[in-house]
Amino acid sequence: MSKSAVAKRYAIALFELARENDTLVATRDDLTEIKAAWKQDADVQALFASPKLSLAKKKEMIRTVFGSASPAVVNTLQLLVEKKRLHELPAIVDEFSALSNNAQGIAEATVYSTRALTDEERAHISAAFAQEVGKGSLNIQNVVDPSLIGGLRIQIGNRIYDNTLSSKLTRLKRNLIG
């Protein structure tokens, strides 16, 4: 079974449980924080992969370290430890986020700009482009890229809306040179 199929099964199970308990947003937030902590510290990954640590000790560490997360998330993490699939955690979180966003009518978007966007600008972009992709709103990640010179580049899934000064100059140059 491929990694994505395993991750998808765990994500679907956790998604169904969270939807049943009406905790989609809280579960997604917990998982996002755990994924960030997991990816940030390779020592933690190595510790949980170590055969020197007993299964009971690993489960206890999960309860201690991630005890503030929802019980469903903690239980899922313990199940992943038990099944020796904790390495699938980032993929599971990604799958869960996709399921959760789809259920709530949210699309993930990356907005490239020359400076950090204000909350008002994020809201305006979300309102304008959510309709373009048939969603209710956008979850915007802002990437500051001074090489754009001005304007915005918005990526929503595999769609890219590029209204940057650098791309306009590139097109102008191509048209003038031939």
Side-chain angles (χ1 to χ4, degrees):
M1 184 179 299
S2 73
K3 287 183 182 181
S4 63
V6 168
K8 191 166 193 129
R9 285 186 181 186
Y10 280 97
I12 288 171
L14 187 56
F15 171 76
E16 292 297 329
L17 185 62
R19 188 169 58 178
E20 196 175 286
N21 295 331
D22 198 28
T23 59
L24 275 178
V25 175
T27 302
R28 186 184 67 221
D29 292 346
D30 287 345
L31 287 172
T32 302
E33 286 181 33
I34 290 169
K35 177 185 173 187
W38 179 258
K39 288 190 121 189
Q40 187 177 28
D41 197 350
D43 292 338
V44 172
Q45 294 176 35
L47 182 65
F48 279 105
S50 172
K52 293 180 182 180
L53 228 53
S54 70
L55 180 61
K57 186 65 176 166
K58 289 178 184 178
K59 285 183 166 185
E60 179 60 36
M61 287 173 57
I62 292 285
R63 275 193 300 275
T64 304
V65 175
F66 303 114
S68 63
S70 71
V73 171
V74 173
N75 290 341
T76 301
L77 291 174
Q78 289 180 331
L79 182 62
L80 290 172
V81 165
E82 190 175 306
K83 300 291 184 183
K84 295 178 176 47
R85 290 194 167 152
L86 199 54
H87 62 280
E88 295 281 351
L89 182 62
I92 292 168
V93 174
D94 292 344
E95 289 286 342
F96 182 89
S97 293
L99 290 167
S100 176
N101 287 344
N102 192 35
Q104 296 174 2
I106 300 172
E108 293 289 328
T110 304
V111 178
Y112 300 88
S113 61
T114 56
R115 60 172 175 74
L117 298 173
T118 65
D119 290 338
E120 184 179 318
E121 290 169 331
R122 286 174 183 261
H124 182 71
I125 291 168
S126 177
F129 284 91
Q131 293 174 343
E132 287 286 324
V133 293
K135 297 290 182 178
S137 66
L138 298 178
N139 185 13
I140 295 176
Q141 176 190 2
N142 185 211
V143 175
V144 177
D145 183 0
S147 70
L148 299 177
I149 306 171
L152 298 172
R153 179 181 301 132
I154 302 169
Q155 181 176 353
I156 306 169
N158 60 359
R159 293 183 183 183
I160 296 175
Y161 302 92
D162 193 345
N163 193 25
T164 60
L165 192 53
S166 62
S167 68
K168 289 179 181 180
L169 289 172
T170 302
R171 282 193 298 269
L172 183 61
K173 180 180 175 182
R174 221 178 302 136
N175 287 340
L176 290 174
I177 294 176

